[in-house]
């Protein structure tokens, strides 16, 4: 009877080792960047969910769902702004914003504007009527707000590889971290999107992730610089990034 019961209604067993990290460096970075990346991916999905000119209701829902977003811009095919919320932004453009896109792609090239009040990141998607291009809708936010979603923001840095700029949680850049911007990230990311690097006599574990259509680098000082890196394995997805 016991054998039959175990076959029909087996006792549940939880494999706790399935979610165990083998690499302490990857574990540290994943715990820091995952909550941040989740917010960015959620915003990306919302912004790219339509390819037509958004309604006032759509814009209001976006600002309600993502209160950390600074504003929304709707422009026509010539680049003239049709609608802007809020109508008077805190940060004015330091120079004209130039977006690049490929026909019928759902995301445009990400633009980071470095203003006197700090960086502002813009990304969005083209609008169409049928197959005719009608303009863009674009959201913007201060990338430093992303650190508010990190459990230990002082341990995480984000690199803008194109502008060679570093985003950190506070006013002070951690010792040695500024050296990260000097690395040839655009060349490095042609070969891989994760790994370890040395900067300022310290080892950093890093992972490149998309914001809009461009890659940005999340990095943290390695928890164990002597640990051999064999690839970024994500145990809860059962694969490699």
């Amino acid at each position: 009877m016991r054998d039959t019961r175990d076959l029909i209604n087996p006792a549940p067993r939880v494999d706790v080792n399935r979610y165990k990290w083998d690499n302490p460096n990857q574990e540290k970075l994943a715990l820091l960047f995952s909550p941040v990346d989740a917010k960015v991916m959620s915003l990306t999905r919302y912004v790219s969910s339509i390819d037509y000119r958004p309604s006032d209701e759509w814009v209001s829902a976006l600002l309600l769902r993502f209160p950390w977003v600074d504003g929304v811009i709707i422009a026509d095919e010539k680049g003239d702004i049709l609608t802007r919320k809020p109508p008077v932004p805190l940060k004015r453009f330091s120079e004209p914003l130039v977006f690049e896109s490929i026909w019928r792609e759902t995301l445009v090239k990400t633009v980071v504007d470095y203003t006197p009040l700090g960086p502002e990141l813009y990304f969005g998607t083209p609008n169409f009527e049928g197959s005719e291009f009608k303009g863009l809708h674009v959201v913007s936010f201060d990338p430093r707000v992303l650190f508010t979603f990190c459990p230990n923001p002082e341990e995480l840095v984000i690199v803008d590889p194109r502008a060679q700029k570093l985003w950190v949680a506070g006013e002070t850049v951690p010792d040695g971290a500024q050296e990260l911007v000097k690395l040839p990230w655009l060349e490095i990311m042609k070969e891989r999107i994760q790994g370890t690097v040395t900067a300022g006599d310290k080892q950093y574990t890093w992972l490149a992730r998309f914001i809009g259509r461009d890659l940005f680098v999340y990095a943290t000082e390695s928890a164990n610089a002597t640990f051999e890196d064999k690839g970024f394995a994500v145990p809860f997805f059962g694969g490699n990034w």
Side-chain angles (χ1 to χ4, degrees):
M1 289 293 294
R2 183 179 296 109
D3 293 340
T4 303
R5 182 193 62 195
D6 289 342
L7 288 173
I8 297 175
N9 186 25
R13 294 181 177 86
V14 178
D15 183 3
V16 296
N17 290 322
R18 182 182 178 185
Y19 302 97
K20 182 179 178 180
W21 285 86
D22 294 325
N23 188 323
N25 300 326
Q26 295 171 2
E27 180 178 18
K28 179 185 177 183
L29 179 58
L31 293 174
L32 293 173
F33 100 90
S34 294
V36 176
D37 187 63
K39 295 289 185 179
V40 174
M41 292 299 103
S42 181
L43 176 62
T44 301
R45 287 191 295 270
Y46 189 93
V47 172
S48 61
S49 64
I50 60 173
D51 63 356
Y52 50 85
R53 189 166 291 167
S55 64
D56 290 341
E57 291 77 14
W58 186 92
V59 173
S60 297
L62 183 149
L63 295 175
L64 182 64
R65 181 174 175 181
F66 306 98
W68 44 276
V69 165
D70 289 337
V72 181
I73 298 173
I74 301 174
D76 65 13
E77 64 273 21
K78 297 179 181 178
D80 295 329
I81 295 177
L82 303 175
T83 304
R84 186 169 194 171
K85 290 189 177 182
V88 180
L90 176 63
K91 298 175 185 172
R92 298 185 179 275
F93 301 139
S94 63
E95 57 184 354
L97 299 183
V98 178
F99 287 92
E100 298 175 5
S101 187
I102 299 173
W103 176 247
R104 294 301 292 176
E105 279 204 359
T106 57
L107 288 175
V108 298
K109 181 178 175 63
T110 309
V111 177
V112 184
D113 187 22
Y114 288 92
T115 76
L117 296 178
E120 190 74 6
L121 188 151
Y122 297 82
F123 77 92
T125 187
N127 303 154
F128 297 91
E129 188 175 298
S131 61
E132 186 178 355
F133 174 68
K134 287 296 183 180
L136 302 171
H137 61 273
V138 178
V139 300
S140 70
F141 60 90
D142 189 321
R144 296 171 299 184
V145 75
L146 298 177
F147 292 98
T148 63
F149 310 123
C150 179
N152 296 297
E154 69 282 353
E155 296 182 12
L156 181 68
V157 297
I158 305 176
V159 181
D160 178 354
R162 286 159 186 80
Q164 294 185 315
K165 299 284 188 179
L166 193 69
W167 305 333
V168 297
E171 297 295 329
T172 305
V173 177
D175 291 340
Q178 190 62 44
E179 298 297 315
L180 287 168
V181 302
K182 299 179 181 180
L183 299 177
W185 287 110
L186 297 181
E187 293 300 318
I188 293 173
M189 292 189 296
K190 290 179 181 179
E191 301 294 331
R192 52 199 173 99
I193 60 167
Q194 60 78 31
T196 59
V197 293
T198 300
D201 297 325
K202 294 181 180 180
Q203 186 192 87
Y204 292 86
T205 302
W206 66 277
L207 175 70
R209 295 287 282 168
F210 281 100
I211 302 179
R213 240 187 71 198
D214 291 315
L215 285 167
F216 294 81
V217 176
Y218 294 90
T220 187
E221 186 177 347
S222 296
N224 184 350
T226 64
F227 193 90
E228 183 180 357
D229 184 12
K230 297 181 179 180
F232 206 109
V234 185
F236 41 85
F237 287 144
N240 293 330
W241 283 7

